[in-house]
Amino acid sequence: MSSCVARNAAQRRYNRDVLWLSAAYALLLLAATYLFRHAAITGVPAVMLAVLPALPIIGVFAAIARYLMEERDEYLRMLTVRQTLVASGFALSIATIWGFLESFGVAGHIDAYFVAVLWFAGLGLGTCVNRAIEART
């Protein structure tokens, strides 16, 4: 979403969901990191524990989709769609470039979950793009 101020029910629900999911992510990441460092976890429990911090991130993607379906204002929906398109293009472009750099041995390995980090950074870039386009009109 391009604004932090909730103007309607869809935005309020989105903000609430993202806040809860962000808190869940932080707690699950801290717990998983602690347990992997201090406990001998292997096999299926290790896989399950490693996946847990990803679930709230996936939840944020779902919250954005839900917001887009619930938002009745076409202009606000368009801004969010453009923001997510910029984020997607940004994250996929950087991941693709890095993948080729890594493949040809000129860059080190980066964990795949950083694509989501890039995507969230791209949401900020998308907000800037929205503001720049809207300033011209």
Side-chain angles (χ1 to χ4, degrees):
M1 285 187 15
S2 56
S3 174
C4 291
V5 179
R7 299 181 191 116
N8 59 45
Q11 290 175 341
R12 283 190 299 276
R13 188 173 5 266
Y14 168 82
N15 288 340
R16 182 199 65 219
D17 290 350
V18 169
L19 283 172
W20 281 108
L21 289 162
S22 297
Y25 166 73
L27 290 172
L28 290 170
L29 181 61
L30 288 171
T33 301
Y34 178 85
L35 289 170
F36 271 104
R37 286 188 181 158
H38 296 93
I41 301 171
T42 60
V44 173
V47 171
M48 290 172 48
L49 182 60
V51 167
L52 283 179
L55 298 179
I57 294 171
I58 295 166
V60 171
F61 300 148
I64 291 170
R66 179 179 179 184
Y67 168 72
L68 287 171
M69 290 184 286
E70 292 179 352
E71 180 57 70
R72 297 292 172 229
D73 186 310
E74 292 176 10
Y75 175 73
L76 293 176
R77 189 170 43 239
M78 183 273 304
L79 288 176
T80 304
V81 167
R82 184 166 49 201
Q83 183 183 21
T84 58
L85 287 171
V86 168
S88 298
F90 175 74
L92 291 171
S93 296
I94 298 298
T96 299
I97 290 168
W98 196 268
F100 279 107
L101 291 171
E102 186 178 331
S103 179
F104 291 116
V106 293
H109 175 72
I110 293 182
D111 294 330
Y113 64 80
F114 277 106
V115 174
V117 174
L118 289 170
W119 193 82
F120 287 116
L123 287 178
L125 180 62
T127 298
C128 295
V129 168
N130 277 340
R131 287 184 181 158
I133 290 171
E134 297 307 310
R136 290 189 307 186
T137 58

